[in-house]
Amino acid sequence: MLGVWLAPKIGQRLEKTPLVRKLGAFVALSGTELSVLDALHKRRRTFVAGRDLVHQGQLDQAAYILISGWACSYKILEDGQRQIVDFQIPGDFLGLRSVLLHMSDHSIEPITDIEVTEVTVADLLDAFSQTPRLATAVFWAASRDEAMVVEHLIDIGRRAAAERMAHFLLELGARLSLVGLGSKAGFACPLSQYLLADALGLSAVHVNRVLRTLRESGMVTFRDGFVTFDSYSRLTEFAEFDPVYLDHTGPLLR
Amino acid sequence: MLGVWLAPKIGQRLEKTPLVRKLGAFVALSGTELSVLDALHKRRRTFVAGRDLVHQGQLDQAAYILISGWACSYKILEDGQRQIVDFQIPGDFLGLRSVLLHMSDHSIEPITDIEVTEVTVADLLDAFSQTPRLATAVFWAASRDEAMVVEHLIDIGRRAAAERMAHFLLELGARLSLVGLGSKAGFACPLSQYLLADALGLSAVHVNRVLRTLRESGMVTFRDGFVTFDSYSRLTEFAEFDPVYLDHTGPLLR
């Protein structure tokens, strides 16, 4: 619907960014709002896989909008254990939560090489004052992020290992579909079994066993960097996956 | 600093609300911002303990600002298990996350009788358009809520039962202190062992045993509706509690 649009500051035609696709699921974005969003994409930066771009305890950090590649946010406990809080895909904010806190409460690591744009608190305040609807859309994206963290809490607190993995893969598939990077057939996935283990509170050996069980039951196959939903409907039923918390049912604000 | 202020719409002098105290930790609120916040406190309602005010799956719900009493947000899984996501205390929003989603992804239950004010999406948009700084302050509060959910994820994923309980009680103490309802000495706490169990992923019997261990080690006592920090410093060290994620270090925006 939005198609290709003119970026007034840069004066060149741009494909709509993953963030525009994503926020478009919540707000029918106006020309003004698209311009303000575009202005947030000024300071492009790249980061290489495996080197943190935000450190737990860092002061006055910026936030980033992920344009391409995958990242993860995580915390390290004093005994060295790591808990991955969430993975970020194109269109997601990195560190949006802590841009408003004095100090980052987590680290962010690129899983692949990534391209981002940097966003400061001042940028956000400026954008919000130009268009409160955009503030609400960013708020929606943050609410959705929080809903995902809540689901991960449920994953770890209440779901058995196989259901946990199934739920997680279905959520990733739905998120990627929203930005055009996945479907009910499957999606390309750069996550290692170690990353899955740190996210789901399992050992890497356990992850391997769970993935084999899910594959042998004919529901989902994760192999060679690709997740294939062999039976999307059976997997959904098995995981009790109800994507309502991802709120993909179309613009609420028109 | 803010003291008692005049509420222009109602024309009577009001004590500052818990929400004003809380947001004041992030933004040095101007007269205009205080008026806009006050206008959000128009529709007062009360709810009795134990009867949900928001249901999982509910459409088009409002959000609420909690003025007095305690509540909890939770999810029920299909097998009937319950996971409490968080507790809310005065000054907290109830259902802020899902006011922007089409459907509530969780339920909210008053733990005590509570007094709230109702806030709709339209109210929020209106307030944000009047003062973007307030939008940022509400965003800050939501970021802080998410940081707490992340800590609960860490609690359940990576902390042993006693550390988990200790961390949880310290967090509650810090949150209550911010709104004038607690201190490093302790706080009044209406939570039952069943509620603690559903929040921390433990059985009620296990909760009882953990609380006894913490009491006998001279760190904290939870008895007769009151949590007493017998040794705040030892408990903090034991739980590896670093309150930086609660962001109480003073206004970021002046």
Side-chain angles (χ1 to χ4, degrees):
Chain A
M1 187 180 67
L2 298 167
V4 175
W5 51 282
L6 197 66
K9 292 274 170 62
I10 310 177
Q12 66 183 34
R13 292 174 74 81
L14 289 176
E15 289 295 320
K16 62 184 179 184
T17 62
L19 180 62
V20 166
R21 291 181 76 120
K22 182 175 150 184
L23 295 186
F26 176 67
V27 171
L29 292 160
S30 71
T32 308
E33 284 149 6
L34 288 170
S35 302
V36 173
L37 262 184
D38 183 56
L40 284 182
H41 283 76
K42 275 179 305 198
R43 287 186 299 281
R44 296 223 176 196
R45 299 181 61 178
T46 54
F47 291 92
V48 296
R51 189 176 294 177
D52 284 359
L53 69 158
V54 172
H55 304 278
Q56 196 167 325
Q58 186 176 331
L59 292 168
D60 300 324
Q61 58 141 130
Y64 302 92
I65 299 165
L66 188 54
I67 296 173
S68 65
W70 288 49
C72 71
S73 56
Y74 68 93
K75 285 200 176 204
I76 299 276
L77 275 71
E78 287 190 20
D79 63 2
Q81 286 190 97
R82 168 159 109 150
Q83 176 70 51
I84 291 180
V85 174
D86 202 4
F87 296 101
Q88 288 83 36
I89 59 169
D92 286 347
F93 283 94
L94 308 179
L96 180 61
R97 182 171 72 248
S98 28
V99 77
L100 293 180
L101 307 182
H102 291 76
M103 190 183 284
S104 178
D105 66 338
H106 60 278
S107 300
I108 298 175
E109 177 187 321
I111 291 168
T112 64
D113 293 351
I114 60 172
E115 190 182 9
V116 301
T117 56
E118 193 180 292
V119 183
T120 64
V121 177
D123 294 334
L124 278 180
L125 268 178
D126 188 43
F128 289 179
S129 66
Q130 288 182 64
T131 159
R133 271 167 58 95
L134 193 63
T136 314
V138 172
F139 211 155
W140 168 82
S143 299
R144 188 172 165 276
D145 287 349
E146 189 187 345
M148 288 192 287
V149 176
V150 168
E151 280 298 321
H152 297 171
L153 179 74
I154 309 278
D155 276 343
I156 291 178
R158 301 295 179 190
R159 289 190 183 106
E163 283 84 349
R164 196 183 298 186
M165 176 68 74
H167 198 276
F168 174 77
L169 294 175
L170 286 164
E171 179 190 273
L172 266 181
R175 291 169 64 191
L176 287 160
S177 296
L178 184 65
V179 292
L181 297 171
S183 73
K184 287 187 178 174
F187 55 89
C189 181
L191 302 180
S192 68
Q193 298 198 348
Y194 294 100
L195 289 168
L196 289 171
D198 282 353
L200 298 177
L202 304 170
S203 69
V205 171
H206 202 174
V207 164
N208 191 43
R209 198 163 55 224
V210 164
L211 287 173
R212 192 174 61 232
T213 304
L214 291 172
R215 185 174 67 240
E216 287 172 358
S217 68
M219 293 195 283
V220 63
T221 304
F222 184 10
R223 184 180 283 158
D224 300 331
F226 208 90
V227 171
T228 305
F229 294 125
D230 302 311
S231 172
Y232 192 85
S233 59
R234 278 209 294 130
L235 190 66
T236 299
E237 191 175 347
F238 174 72
E240 295 179 6
F241 177 64
D242 180 354
V244 66
Y245 70 97
L246 295 172
D247 202 48
H248 291 177
T249 46
L252 192 66
L253 293 186
R254 288 175 194 282
Chain B
M1 186 180 67
L2 298 167
V4 175
W5 50 283
L6 198 65
K9 293 273 171 60
I10 309 176
Q12 65 183 34
R13 293 174 72 82
L14 289 177
E15 288 296 318
K16 60 185 179 184
T17 63
L19 181 61
V20 167
R21 290 181 75 121
K22 183 174 149 184
L23 295 186
F26 176 66
V27 171
L29 294 159
S30 70
T32 308
E33 286 151 5
L34 289 171
S35 301
V36 173
L37 263 183
D38 183 55
L40 285 181
H41 283 77
K42 275 179 305 200
R43 286 186 299 281
R44 296 223 174 197
R45 299 181 59 179
T46 54
F47 291 92
V48 296
R51 187 177 295 179
D52 284 358
L53 68 160
V54 172
H55 303 278
Q56 197 167 325
Q58 184 174 333
L59 291 168
D60 299 323
Q61 59 140 130
Y64 302 92
I65 299 165
L66 188 53
I67 296 173
S68 65
W70 289 49
C72 70
S73 56
Y74 68 92
K75 285 200 173 204
I76 298 277
L77 274 71
E78 288 191 18
D79 63 2
Q81 288 189 96
R82 167 158 109 151
Q83 176 71 50
I84 290 180
V85 175
D86 203 4
F87 297 101
Q88 288 83 36
I89 60 169
D92 287 346
F93 283 95
L94 308 180
L96 180 62
R97 182 169 72 247
S98 30
V99 76
L100 294 179
L101 306 181
H102 291 76
M103 190 183 284
S104 178
D105 66 338
H106 60 276
S107 300
I108 298 175
E109 176 187 320
I111 292 168
T112 64
D113 292 351
I114 60 172
E115 189 183 11
V116 301
T117 56
E118 194 179 292
V119 182
T120 64
V121 178
D123 293 333
L124 277 181
L125 268 177
D126 188 43
F128 289 179
S129 67
Q130 289 182 62
T131 159
R133 273 167 57 96
L134 192 62
T136 315
V138 172
F139 212 155
W140 168 84
S143 299
R144 188 172 164 276
D145 286 350
E146 190 188 345
M148 288 191 288
V149 176
V150 168
E151 279 299 321
H152 297 170
L153 180 73
I154 309 276
D155 276 343
I156 291 177
R158 300 294 178 191
R159 289 191 184 103
E163 284 84 349
R164 196 183 297 186
M165 177 66 77
H167 197 276
F168 174 78
L169 294 175
L170 286 164
E171 179 190 271
L172 267 182
R175 292 169 63 191
L176 288 160
S177 295
L178 185 65
V179 291
L181 297 171
S183 72
K184 288 187 178 174
F187 56 89
C189 180
L191 303 179
S192 68
Q193 298 199 347
Y194 294 100
L195 289 168
L196 288 171
D198 281 353
L200 297 176
L202 304 170
S203 68
V205 171
H206 202 173
V207 163
N208 192 43
R209 199 163 53 223
V210 164
L211 286 174
R212 192 174 61 233
T213 303
L214 290 172
R215 184 175 68 241
E216 288 173 356
S217 67
M219 294 195 282
V220 62
T221 304
F222 184 10
R223 185 179 281 158
D224 300 331
F226 208 89
V227 171
T228 305
F229 294 125
D230 302 311
S231 172
Y232 192 86
S233 58
R234 279 208 296 130
L235 190 67
T236 299
E237 190 175 349
F238 174 72
E240 296 179 8
F241 178 65
D242 179 355
V244 66
Y245 69 97
L246 294 172
D247 203 47
H248 291 176
T249 46
L252 192 65
L253 293 185
R254 288 177 191 283

